[in-house]
Structure formats: structure tokens, C-alpha cells
Amino acid sequence: KAGVTQTPRYLIKTRGQQVTLSCSPISGHRSVSWYQQTPGQGLQFLFEYFSETQRNKGNFPGRFSGRQFSNSRSEMNVSTLELGDSALYLCASSLVAGYGYTFGSGTRLTVV
Amino acid sequence: EDKVVQSPLSLVVHEGDTVTLNCSYEVTNFRSLLWYKQEKKAPTFLFMLTSSGIEKKSGRLSSILDKKELFSILNITATQTGDSAVYLCAVRLDQGAQKLVFGQGTRLTINP
């Protein structure tokens, strides 16, 4: 079965712009969570969605937002980009929350 | 503040050596501890540990959890160059949620 698909793979944006990243979970998985990975901070939790509802949010500013659609696909949006937002953004899905997390290959965002 | 600490941060060994990676944690409402291997982008799942003292094994890899002393170890025997990767330890918090708190990772390099 297909894995977790994240698009685009790479993205270069300018400070002040906004960006939308997409995550398609494994078929049948209803739980999707997002993580930011940087060399300095490691992997940090952004938010988690289950059945179109945000159930958990990490300690990130309001510029970071997300949503989940009825087909479980999820998007995250970052507005007013800053240089420090440059990171690998990873999405993980699971059938039910807490079991069998599978990560996608991520979107590498570079802000210049 | 929930915290997961891995040691060492970096390790270089020769092929055939045995390595032990450490993960300690201080979190509220512990549910389970997970180990991942990250070679390029997508972390791949290795183990999930919930109970103390029960060793999980998969080939040359094994892991055990001590919930009294709040740590876990990941052992790799007869290392191969393909084991070179960043090994991530994560703790899952809160039943029903998918929030993972990650350690900084251990970068393992296996030299031939």
C-alpha cells in the first residue's frame, strides 16, 4: 500500500510570504500529525488532527495553522514566513491515535 | 516541561562492533516510548515499548524500557554500514493523542 505522501518535496520562499504544505496519509488512516525538524531543535510537534478536528497543538506561534479534510488529507499553512521557519516538515499518520505511526519523507522548506 | 534526552549525540564505530544508545525522559502522563531510524528524511519505526523489563527484538536490534528509572536503551549487535543513521527516541503522551516528544537523536556512523 502507498505510504504517507507529502508535497511538495522542496520549496523555496521569501520572507513574508506564506506557504501551504500537503500530506496524504496511508489509506484508511484517520490520524495525522505534523512535526518540524531543524538541526538546532530536532523534531518538534506542531499539531495533530483526527477526523477533521485538531486535537493537539504544539508550542508554535499562530502563524502556523493546519486543517484536515474529510478524506483525511491534511494541509499546514505558515504565514508571514521568517528565516527561522526553514526546516524539514514531516507528517505522520496512523490508523488510530497512538499506534503505528508512519512518517512521510517530508517537505524541505527554505526561507530566504 | 516534557523532556527526552539521548546520549551520546554522536557515535563512530567499526563494522562488527556492538553499540548501545541511551534515552532518558522526564514527562507527564507517559504512555509509550518509540525508537525510529532516520537515514535521509522519513523516520522509520523500529520499536514501541510500553512495559518495563520486556525486551523487544528485531534481528540485530533490541530495546528495553525501565519505567522506574525512566530510560530506554537500543542495542545494535554486529553493526553494518547500513546501520549508519540518526536514531531517534520519542515518548508518546496522553492516551488517544498522537503527540510525540522527541530526543535530539544519536548520529551513528559505522565505518567499514
Side-chain angles (χ1 to χ4, degrees):
Chain A
K1 59 182 176 184
V4 178
T5 303
Q6 291 188 245
T7 57
R9 298 289 298 273
Y10 301 92
L11 208 47
I12 300 176
K13 289 285 188 178
T14 305
R15 269 182 303 176
Q17 288 187 311
Q18 75 165 19
V19 67
T20 299
L21 312 181
S22 178
C23 172
S24 293
I26 290 173
S27 179
H29 284 196
R30 295 167 61 193
S31 180
V32 173
S33 57
W34 289 87
Y35 293 82
Q36 180 196 65
Q37 187 173 31
T38 59
Q41 299 296 320
L43 268 148
Q44 292 186 288
F45 174 79
L46 280 158
F47 21 66
E48 180 218 349
Y49 289 89
F50 185 84
S51 294
E52 301 178 67
T53 300
Q54 185 183 89
R55 301 204 304 177
N56 245 316
K57 191 175 193 304
N59 295 326
F60 280 83
R63 300 185 296 106
F64 291 80
S65 63
R67 59 179 176 168
Q68 187 180 33
F69 302 95
S70 58
N71 62 357
S72 293
R73 190 178 71 86
S74 177
E75 289 182 347
M76 66 163 281
N77 184 278
V78 188
S79 61
T80 319
L81 284 165
E82 300 177 359
L83 295 179
D85 297 332
S86 295
L88 178 66
Y89 290 88
L90 291 163
C91 162
S93 77
S94 68
L95 186 60
V96 294
Y99 296 94
Y101 309 91
T102 301
F103 281 86
S105 294
T107 294
R108 171 78 63 190
L109 172 65
T110 302
V111 182
V112 297
Chain B
E1 183 187 345
D2 298 315
K3 192 165 60 172
V4 176
V5 177
Q6 293 185 243
S7 64
L9 294 181
S10 181
L11 187 58
V12 181
V13 300
H14 290 293
E15 202 168 20
D17 288 351
T18 292
V19 298
T20 299
L21 310 184
N22 303 290
C23 175
S24 63
Y25 60 91
E26 287 181 42
V27 301
T28 54
N29 201 11
F30 173 93
R31 299 303 300 179
S32 57
L33 186 144
L34 298 93
W35 285 96
Y36 285 88
K37 177 183 181 182
Q38 187 176 29
E39 292 178 84
K40 289 185 180 175
K41 284 192 175 179
T44 54
F45 173 79
L46 295 174
F47 298 111
M48 183 170 77
L49 303 152
T50 306
S51 303
S52 273
I54 298 174
E55 186 182 45
K56 294 252 180 142
K57 286 190 69 123
S58 176
R60 296 176 295 101
L61 278 66
S62 64
S63 182
I64 197 161
L65 173 67
D66 186 327
K67 289 170 73 173
K68 183 180 176 186
E69 300 297 330
L70 308 183
F71 78 91
S72 174
I73 59 171
L74 175 68
N75 277 320
I76 309 176
T77 60
T79 52
Q80 302 170 358
T81 54
D83 295 328
S84 295
V86 174
Y87 289 83
L88 297 163
C89 170
V91 172
R92 181 169 82 85
L93 310 176
D94 303 327
Q95 185 174 16
Q98 206 190 87
K99 179 178 178 179
L100 299 176
V101 179
F102 280 86
Q104 323 93 296
T106 293
R107 181 171 296 278
L108 176 64
T109 303
I110 311 296
N111 288 327

